Amino acid sequence: MTAVTLDAGAPFGAAPPSARPAIVTRGLTKRFRGGQVAVDALDLSVPRGSVYGFLGPNGSGKTTTIRMLLGLAAPTSGEHELLGLPLGEALPRVGALVEGPAFYPYLSGEANLRRFDAADPTAPPATVRRRVAEALDRVGLTAAAGKRYRTYSLGMRQRLAIAAALLGPRELLILDEPTNGLDPQGTREVRSLVKQIAAGGTTVFVSSHLLAEVEQMCTHAAVMRAGRLVAQGSMASLGGGQVPRVRVRTPDTADALRVLRSLGLADVRADGPEPGDGVSAELGGHAPERVNAALVGEGVAVRGFAVERPSLEDVFVRLTGEGFDVDG
Amino acid sequence: MSTAETRETGLRRTPGLVPVSETLRTADRPLPPGAADSAPAETGAATVGAGPAEIEGATVGAGPSEIGGVAAGGEAVDVIDLAGPAPARRFGAFWRLLGSELGLTFRRPRNLVMLAVLASVPVILGVALRLVTDDMDAEGRGGGMGGLVASVAGNSLMLAFASLSFLVALLMPVAVSVVAGDAIAGEASGGTLRYLLAAPAGRTRLLLVKYLNAVVFSFAIAAVVAVSALVTGMALFPVGPVTLLSGTTVSVADGLLRVLISVGYVGAGMAALAAVALALSTFTEVPIGAIAGTVVLVIVAQVLRAVPQLEPISPYLLPTWLTRFDGALRDPVDLAAMRDGLLAFGAYILLFGSVAWARFTGKDITS
Ligand SMILES: Nc1ncnc2c1ncn2[C@@H]1O[C@H](COP(=O)(O)OP(=O)(O)O)[C@@H](O)[C@H]1O
Ligand SMILES: [Mg+2]
């Protein structure tokens, strides 16, 4: 795939803002003092309406990327755009959670939300009470609204941070590891909250170092490793979760291939050069039991039959040749 | 354009495949509906910039329609605009943020304690002077009292001037340093700075709010000291015409006006110091560092000022000017001295305000 030359004057194209992806970056790079390249020539494109998993091990540059997207840190080089708008115009439409919650410990949850609402120059003060109450309600913190933040548990803090991101109508949510420090119950709650928000049409960009989490939540994903983008695309295209393959262990390789092809399965191939290595194909919309019946009916000696869903981890390992571990 | 609606649905529901270059290209030049059909092969590769470009099974669900849905979304402009027109900046938003800032400052227990301490000093001072004068009276040496004691004992208003000149040396600068030195560094260390800026508070706007907040606090402490001193003075010492440093005597109303002028002048001086503290505050994520740094600067300046050989640099030192509110105690009011002081304060505010602005608008927020 070759680089595309773009208009110099309009780095992300001339399409109207609402037609452009929710997030675009081009060659986004951050080199910290001391020379470490935390983010290296990142080209992201986050489609509108997607739940986009930004996946990478700890230290792979996810938070640094998010800081640049939000204008907190200046890129060493490269460009980025949110919602097709200049940053100052985009940010009021963006809710963000960056590297964990941060609030004023001596204020109540409610007072904290009011504080951040006051910082948004576009937020209507007349409706602040209602918006704060709604946001707290959405994350299930209504009962603790009047308690000081100091007394909140880690899970409550995380939820308050999500509430702060939901104070206004948002077109884009950027959530940096929103389930960090949450128990399984809290993790499930965040996941369903994200789904609910996405169902309302909001684009959600969610970073995580947990493969399983991204697989369960996201429609799209990008995989980072050591500051570089390894892959991005829909979950289907990445092989995560949505493309089950049928794998048949049989000595009759040629026959099995023929039967699977005649059934109309896609990407039919032998899994190895030896007879007995078996064959595999994309299951597509076919019922596995029918496929098996057809194979047996055609006299293929089926020794093993499995439907496999490739995990993102498989993809990651395949792409990098490494396990999914912490980067330096 | 009749396909716009179906495409838009594709965008929402069906996860499409988005190689970056593909998206950029199609976003750049929206393809006609059929054009996407010509490129299914490219859609198979989900990898960007990585060696193994092929992902097994990547073509499923990456049909032309999804590509069109995601990338050629340019044709569904009206439908995807979720939040409608850009939310406008609201009139008064700046004051709302300043109000929030003031609310935090004047409700924060630490700051209230400082205000209480500052308010208690004139009381302690007044009581002490009262005891001293009582002793002296008892010993029959009333006529021999020294300048400050004598003038305060002689008139209640003088306690205000005495308190200001005592506190302006260190305690008030400490209080201002705590608030202004904490302004940016405190938000940075607590992590709230990143959320304020993402809100988006705006860097220049936030800095200005932070500074105005510190200015209000500066004047507030001067006022608190004066009010506390006036109340204490009136309770403990005779109220009546005031004898000034220049020997003339003015009415109580005139004396109160002079207290007011002094409060304004000291407030302005503290606001200048606040600019220094704010500038330091933009250089660190450790609030105590900015606070202590400012206090150390004040003390160093006091020391330098006390060295006779360093006389030539004293006009450049802030503490030199802080005590010049005694111009209000002369008759007529020594406007020239106070004007020079105010100019010095203005210069400090300009210089350190610029430093703070340059630093804060250019800095990476990594906390
Ligand atoms: N302020 C900083 N100065 C220097 N290096 C940093 C800074 N912040 C992050 N890094 C480095 O950049 C890399 C990416 O960090 P980060 O973006 O936080 O990763 P992630 O969020 O994916 O865990 C890490 O190696 C980290 O040590
Ligand atoms: Mg991180």
Side-chain angles (χ1 to χ4, degrees):
Chain A
M1 208 162 294
T2 49
V4 181
T5 316
L6 299 163
D7 284 355
F12 301 111
S18 56
R20 292 188 229 161
I23 301 175
V24 193
T25 74
R26 202 163 62 108
L28 197 64
T29 300
K30 183 68 182 181
R31 182 190 302 271
F32 281 109
R33 260 179 308 188
Q36 191 191 0
V37 181
V39 177
D40 194 357
L42 186 61
D43 294 321
L44 281 183
S45 178
V46 177
R48 297 233 179 193
S50 62
V51 178
Y52 194 102
F54 191 41
L55 183 62
N58 288 319
S60 57
K62 303 182 297 293
T63 301
T64 305
T65 302
I66 289 174
R67 283 183 191 281
M68 288 192 281
L69 290 178
L70 295 171
L72 298 174
T76 309
S77 63
E79 294 154 315
H80 59 95
E81 189 182 74
L82 299 184
L83 302 171
L85 297 168
L87 193 60
E89 275 176 53
L91 284 180
R93 303 157 170 232
V94 178
L97 170 63
V98 193
E99 197 147 71
F103 291 96
Y104 304 89
Y106 46 88
L107 294 184
S108 70
E110 187 190 1
N112 266 296
L113 293 192
R114 285 166 167 274
R115 162 75 170 161
F116 289 109
D117 194 67
D120 177 356
T122 67
T127 59
V128 63
R129 188 177 293 273
R130 176 175 60 75
R131 287 183 295 111
V132 165
E134 279 173 6
L136 286 169
D137 183 52
R138 230 165 147 183
V139 299
L141 277 182
T142 305
K147 282 196 194 159
R148 277 194 299 168
Y149 177 73
R150 198 193 298 284
T151 68
Y152 279 26
S153 71
L154 188 55
M156 291 162 82
R157 291 174 179 203
Q158 197 81 11
R159 283 190 277 168
L160 188 65
I162 296 175
L166 295 174
L167 274 175
R170 308 293 195 203
E171 281 177 69
L172 171 63
L173 272 194
I174 296 180
L175 304 175
D176 189 15
E177 313 235 11
T179 59
N180 244 10
L182 295 188
D183 56 11
Q185 167 69 14
T187 306
R188 269 195 299 280
E189 283 173 16
V190 166
R191 218 183 294 139
S192 82
L193 192 61
V194 164
K195 285 197 175 131
Q196 193 192 322
I197 292 162
T202 301
T203 308
V204 183
F205 181 83
V206 51
S207 85
S208 177
H209 66 276
L210 301 173
L211 289 151
E213 184 170 288
V214 168
E215 282 185 321
Q216 289 169 24
M217 248 189 317
C218 302
T219 63
H220 293 66
V223 183
M224 294 282 284
R225 211 200 83 79
R228 287 177 168 275
L229 186 63
V230 176
Q232 78 172 317
S234 69
M235 293 304 279
S237 71
L238 287 170
Q242 296 175 22
V243 200
R245 287 183 74 81
V246 30
R247 202 168 290 280
V248 183
R249 205 155 58 78
T250 174
D252 310 329
T253 309
D255 285 342
L257 289 174
R258 181 177 50 76
V259 172
L260 291 178
R261 286 202 182 99
S262 71
L263 285 171
L265 269 62
D267 193 26
V268 178
R269 58 187 138 87
D271 283 341
E274 304 290 323
D277 281 346
V279 299
S280 69
E282 277 171 18
L283 187 56
H286 299 266
E289 61 274 16
R290 291 267 167 79
V291 174
N292 193 18
L295 284 166
V296 174
E298 293 284 326
V300 175
V302 177
R303 291 180 181 163
F305 185 91
V307 177
E308 293 177 355
R309 294 169 187 276
S311 72
L312 267 183
E313 177 147 27
D314 297 336
V315 176
F316 187 84
V317 170
R318 192 156 53 225
L319 289 175
T320 64
E322 297 174 39
F324 194 77
D325 286 322
V326 175
D327 288 344
Chain B
M1 217 45 84
S2 61
T3 54
E5 298 230 357
T6 45
R7 288 168 160 280
E8 194 273 330
T9 344
L11 167 85
R12 288 270 182 76
R13 306 256 160 72
T14 325
L17 181 66
V18 194
V20 169
S21 51
E22 183 67 22
T23 312
L24 288 178
R25 190 212 305 157
T26 35
D28 207 21
R29 281 180 281 108
L31 294 172
D37 290 22
S38 62
E42 285 181 56
T43 65
T47 317
V48 177
E54 281 294 321
I55 296 183
E56 294 165 58
T59 42
V60 168
S65 64
E66 284 88 3
I67 295 281
V70 172
E75 298 173 22
V77 175
D78 302 327
V79 206
I80 5 181
D81 208 352
L82 295 170
R89 272 175 180 272
R90 283 171 188 276
F91 179 77
F94 179 85
W95 304 108
R96 184 175 174 220
L97 182 55
L98 181 57
S100 159
E101 195 64 41
L102 288 168
L104 284 191
T105 302
F106 285 95
R107 273 201 287 268
R108 191 161 175 183
R110 181 186 73 185
N111 298 346
L112 294 179
V113 166
M114 291 193 306
L115 285 171
V117 168
L118 285 170
S120 69
V121 169
V123 178
I124 296 167
L125 210 59
V127 169
L129 287 173
R130 180 73 218 224
L131 293 178
V132 170
T133 46
D134 285 353
D135 281 356
M136 287 174 172
D137 286 347
E139 290 169 26
R141 301 187 339 202
M145 285 188 295
L148 177 75
V149 178
S151 55
V152 173
N155 193 284
S156 56
L157 290 191
M158 291 311 281
L159 184 61
F161 297 107
S163 303
L164 281 175
S165 61
F166 176 69
L167 289 173
V168 85
L170 193 62
L171 236 57
M172 287 170 70
V174 167
V176 167
S177 301
V178 168
V179 168
D182 189 58
I184 300 296
E187 303 274 7
S189 79
T192 43
L193 184 57
R194 62 178 185 267
Y195 287 111
L196 288 175
L197 292 180
R203 297 202 184 198
T204 304
R205 187 166 158 269
L206 182 62
L207 192 69
L208 199 57
V209 161
K210 287 285 183 186
Y211 183 61
L212 288 183
N213 176 65
V215 169
V216 171
F217 188 77
S218 299
F219 283 95
I221 57 172
V224 160
V225 168
V227 168
S228 165
L230 287 175
V231 171
T232 309
M234 288 180 187
L236 298 179
F237 304 105
V239 181
V242 191
T243 306
L244 299 173
L245 293 180
S246 46
T248 40
T249 301
V250 299
S251 69
V252 174
D254 196 347
L256 281 173
L257 181 66
R258 287 161 190 266
V259 172
L260 196 64
I261 291 172
S262 302
V263 167
Y265 182 90
V266 170
M270 290 301 131
L273 184 65
V276 178
L278 185 68
L280 290 187
S281 189
T282 61
F283 281 88
T284 172
E285 284 167 17
V286 188
I288 197 73
I291 295 167
T294 314
V295 172
V296 166
L297 284 180
V298 169
I299 293 172
V300 167
Q302 307 269 30
V303 170
L304 293 181
R305 213 160 66 84
V307 179
Q309 288 82 352
L310 294 178
E311 176 70 32
I313 66 161
S314 80
Y316 300 99
L317 302 174
L318 202 50
T320 307
W321 299 102
L322 288 178
T323 52
R324 291 296 165 87
F325 68 87
D326 60 11
L329 285 179
R330 309 201 180 270
D331 195 47
V333 174
D334 189 353
L335 287 175
M338 295 180 84
R339 188 200 54 218
D340 287 352
L342 290 176
L343 285 175
F345 298 156
Y348 262 83
I349 291 170
L350 216 59
L351 178 65
F352 285 91
S354 306
V355 170
W357 181 81
R359 168 70 182 164
F360 188 54
T361 52
K363 130 184 191 171
D364 278 358
I365 310 301
T366 52
S367 61

